[in-house]
Structures are given as structure tokens and as C-alpha cells.
């Protein structure tokens, strides 16, 4: 299957200053992440809050400029593209943000918000623009009357449907979905997830999904990358990773997923301490300060991401 998106060695460091002496610190939010997404595939990135997932998503879209690394989309280098070239690429890759409340301009009617991509790219105006917007609203399950209303008149789930319609406007090949369900009520999440799944099948879309909800990831994804403190620690096909996790961090994450069958019990793995600061990353394996299986090399040598079986990569001394 063709690789649609490929990120290689992406890094993003932020320089901060603070404290009474104004000392500068380097925050290594993303530190050498490589991921590829095939055409028609859903690739998910999971991990605790603050691990760098959303920063990575913005790097992929070139909403942030990387400290190092490269992103290719359909064979085109995003970082070599000029303004016009990047505008053309962005017609083919769109984004759905976490918070639909903040994603929509409260002063713009839905007709203008969803129709704006057509205007920016010079694709439609007048009656044709209205027709296209109404068609998009119908695709995401909203009535034509919604076009004349403002965002505050809609529920959270309806707002997210509007954001999805806007993302679909330019008929993209790929959508980066950054926690698209987390701001919604649980009763609405399943509806939005089913909508994204239906659109994927109808339009052969690829998704890069950023999420901390492992139930959603298991149901929706083809492959999963587990991120911890700015690096990928494990990556595999979804069923392989959920059935046979190899990294202790992945094991701990999966042990926290609620078991719907009351007759089945699983052992919960409680991690020690807190996630270290990305401005003060420990030597060796980044997870060793909380790992229950750590041994001598872990606090000194950073393990590389190694393919331990076909398509299953892990960065852990236990599997080197």
C-alpha cells in the first residue's frame, strides 16, 4: 500500500526562560519521531497528556516549523514547498481540532465558515458555493437550515460536525484529527466516531488520529504508535499491539482500560511517580524512572526503536 504521509526524525524544541534568575531551558516536546501513514489507513498516536502528540500533529501539518526532520506528503517535501506549493498541499490534507468551540469563529455563520475554504482556494462562489456547502452539511448529518445559523446555536456534537464538514470541503486525501472526541459528551462521541468511519470508507480517507482514548483507538485504527516524553516507544498493527504489548509503558496504558465484562479481571499496573519534565529528561531510557522492569542499562543507554517481529517496533532493553 502506498505511503501517503511520511515523517522522518521530527524534532521540536522550545526555548523557555523563567525563575528569579531567568535561566533558559530547552523543552524537547518532540525528539526524533518517524511515522508513516499509508493511503486509506488510520494511524493513531497515543500517550499521556504532555507527551508531545499534539505538537507532532502540528509539525506534520507544518503549522509549526520543526527544529529538525522532514515531512513528505505524497512524495512532496513540505519543508521545501514555497507558500503557493504549501497551499496546494494543504488542499489535500486537512485538520480537525480538539475543541469545536474554539475552532469556529463565533461571528461567522455556518455558510461562511464551511464555505471559506472554497473562497480561499478560488473554487466556488455564489450559487455554486451555497450548493457545495449544503451538500457538505448533508454529508455530516446537518439540515440545510444550519447554514444560516451561528456556532453558539449548536451543541458540541453539532459544532464538531460543522468542523468535519469544513475539513471535507476541499476533498482531502488525509485528515489529521487531534483528539476530535475528547471535548464531547460520551453519548455523542460514538456518533462522531461512526461519522468519521463512514466518511473514511466512502472517500478512501487516511487519518492520523491523536487520542488518549484506547477504546476509540482499538475500534478505529489500523496501526498504533505509543508516545512517551517526545519519542515513540512502541509501534505495531492495532490488534498486535493490544494483544501482545511489549513495552512496559504500553502494558501499563492497556491495563488502565476498563474491562466491560464484569466476569473478567485484569491486573492493573500502577506506575511510579510522575512523567518527567520535557525540559529535564532523564538519561538512558526515558521511561526508566517509572518502569517496574528496569535494570542496569536502562538508566544509562537510550534504546533505539527496534523491529522485534515483522511490523512490530519497540524501544526497550528487554527486547534488544
Amino acid at each position: 500500500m502506498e505511503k501517503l504521509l511520511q515523517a522522518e526524525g521530527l524534532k521540536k524544541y522550545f526555548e523557555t526562560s523563567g525563575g528569579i534568575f531567568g535561566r533558559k531551558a530547552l523543552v524537547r516536546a518532540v525528539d526524533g519521531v518517524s511515522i508513516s501513514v499509508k493511503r486509506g489507513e488510520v494511524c493513531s498516536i497515543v500517550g499521556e497528556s504532555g507527551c508531545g502528540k499534539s505538537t507532532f500533529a502540528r509539525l506534520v501539518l507544518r503549522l509549526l516549523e520543526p527544529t529538525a526532520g522532514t515531512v513528505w506528503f505524497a512524495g512532496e517535501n513540505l519543508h521545501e514547498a514555497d507558500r503557493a506549493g504549501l497551499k496546494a498541499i494543504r488542499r489535500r490534507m486537512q485538520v480537525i481540532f480538539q475543541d469545536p468551540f474554539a475552532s469556529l469563529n463565533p461571528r461567522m455563520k455556518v455558510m461562511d465558515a464551511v464555505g471559506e475554504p472554497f473562497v480561499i482556494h478560488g473554487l466556488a462562489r455564489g450559487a455554486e458555493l451555497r450548493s457545495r456547502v449544503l451538500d457538505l452539511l448533508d454529508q455530516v448529518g446537518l439540515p440545510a437550515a444550519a447554514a444560516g445559523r451561528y456556532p453558539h446555536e449548536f451543541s458540541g456534537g453539532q459544532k464538531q460536525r460543522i468542523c468535519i464538514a469544513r475539513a471535507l470541503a476541499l476533498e482531502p486525501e488525509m485528515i489529521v484529527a487531534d483528539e476530535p472526541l475528547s471535548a464531547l459528551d460520551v453519548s455523542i462521541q460514538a456518533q462522531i466516531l461512526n461519522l468519521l468511519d463512514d466518511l473514511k470508507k466512502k472517500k478512501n480517507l487516511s487519518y492520523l488520529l491523536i487520542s488518549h482514548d484506547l477504546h476509540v483507538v482499538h475500534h478505529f485504527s489500523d496501526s498504533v504508535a505509543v508516545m512517551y516524553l517526545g519519542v515513540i516507544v512502541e509501534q505495531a498493527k492495532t490488534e498486535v499491539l493490544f494483544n501482545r504489548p511489549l513495552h512496559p509503558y504500553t502494558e501499563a496504558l492497556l491495563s488502565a482500560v476498563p474491562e466491560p465484562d464484569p466476569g473478567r479481571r485484569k491486573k492493573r499496573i500502577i506506575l511510579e511517580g510522575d512523567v518527567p519534565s520535557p525540559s529535564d529528561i532523564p538519561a538512558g531510557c526515558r521511561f526508566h524512572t517509572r518502569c517496574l522492569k528496569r535494570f542496569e542499562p536502562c538508566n544509562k543507554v537510550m534504546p533505539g526503536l527496534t523491529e522485534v517481529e515483522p511490523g512490530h517496533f519497540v524501544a526497550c532493553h528487554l527486547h534488544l
Side-chain angles (χ1 to χ4, degrees):
M1 201 183 302
E2 175 194 354
K3 288 182 181 178
L4 185 62
L5 175 78
Q6 189 165 2
E8 289 191 2
L10 275 188
K11 297 182 180 181
K12 183 61 182 179
Y13 299 165
F14 298 96
E15 193 174 85
T16 63
S17 60
I20 57 174
F21 300 108
R23 292 176 178 171
K24 292 183 178 180
L26 201 62
V27 177
R28 290 183 280 178
V30 176
D31 201 11
V33 173
S34 298
I35 278 180
S36 63
V37 182
K38 296 176 181 176
R39 191 175 294 277
E41 180 186 49
V42 179
C43 176
S44 290
I45 302 179
V46 302
E48 293 169 285
S49 296
C51 72
K53 305 186 301 294
S54 292
T55 302
F56 177 76
R58 283 160 174 75
L59 289 172
V60 163
L61 293 160
R62 205 179 153 187
L63 297 177
L64 289 174
E65 293 296 331
T67 303
T70 310
V71 178
W72 283 271
F73 181 79
E76 297 185 59
N77 188 330
L78 263 67
H79 305 290
E80 292 179 352
D82 58 15
R83 187 170 182 177
L86 188 59
K87 183 178 178 180
I89 292 172
R90 282 180 172 161
R91 285 183 59 176
R92 304 168 65 189
M93 57 190 304
Q94 290 290 306
V95 60
I96 301 168
F97 291 108
Q98 176 176 355
D99 186 0
F101 302 89
S103 298
L104 297 169
N105 187 333
R107 298 181 179 181
M108 292 178 71
K109 291 183 178 180
V110 171
M111 172 62 70
D112 299 320
V114 177
E116 191 174 30
F118 295 113
V119 176
I120 290 173
H121 289 269
L123 297 177
R125 289 186 181 276
E128 184 184 358
L129 174 63
R130 178 175 176 78
S131 175
R132 289 200 183 190
V133 170
L134 294 182
D135 180 58
L136 286 167
L137 293 178
D138 181 63
Q139 288 182 46
V140 299
L142 290 173
R149 294 158 61 187
Y150 289 94
H152 72 269
E153 300 179 68
F154 297 91
S155 67
Q158 290 171 324
K159 285 189 181 79
Q160 196 63 294
R161 289 176 186 269
I162 295 167
C163 293
I164 293 170
R166 184 175 58 186
L168 293 173
L170 301 176
E171 299 183 356
E173 298 165 53
M174 179 175 181
I175 291 178
V176 176
D178 185 4
E179 300 274 13
L181 308 178
S182 63
L184 307 178
D185 292 340
V186 174
S187 60
I188 304 300
Q189 290 181 2
Q191 296 177 22
I192 299 300
L193 185 63
N194 288 335
L195 172 61
L196 292 173
D197 194 27
D198 289 342
L199 291 169
K200 173 187 177 292
K201 293 171 182 174
K202 290 176 182 177
K203 299 177 179 292
N204 194 32
L205 286 169
S206 301
Y207 288 100
L208 179 64
L209 175 68
I210 309 299
S211 182
H212 63 268
D213 189 328
L214 294 177
H215 274 310
V216 169
V217 169
H218 193 187
H219 170 75
F220 191 54
S221 304
D222 298 299
S223 63
V224 182
V226 182
M227 201 167 182
Y228 183 80
L229 209 57
V231 297
I232 300 297
V233 297
E234 186 165 4
Q235 187 173 2
K237 292 294 185 182
T238 303
E239 290 304 322
V240 172
L241 187 133
F242 274 79
N243 293 329
R244 194 166 61 257
L246 298 179
H247 198 282
Y249 179 59
T250 309
E251 292 176 346
L253 285 181
L254 295 180
S255 78
V257 178
E259 176 56 62
D261 184 353
R264 293 179 60 187
R265 292 187 178 182
K266 59 183 177 183
K267 184 180 178 181
R268 175 74 191 275
I269 300 172
I270 307 297
L271 296 177
E272 302 174 350
D274 297 320
V275 181
S277 169
S279 63
D280 187 22
I281 292 174
C285 173
R286 298 188 178 194
F287 185 61
H288 86 266
T289 58
R290 305 172 72 199
C291 183
L292 303 177
K293 298 180 179 180
R294 61 182 178 265
F295 58 106
E296 181 56 32
C298 299
N299 62 347
K300 297 177 181 177
V301 181
M302 175 68 178
L305 198 63
T306 304
E307 189 172 21
V308 295
E309 57 187 28
H312 195 165
F313 299 82
V314 64
C316 181
H317 287 294
L318 291 167
H319 302 283
L320 291 181

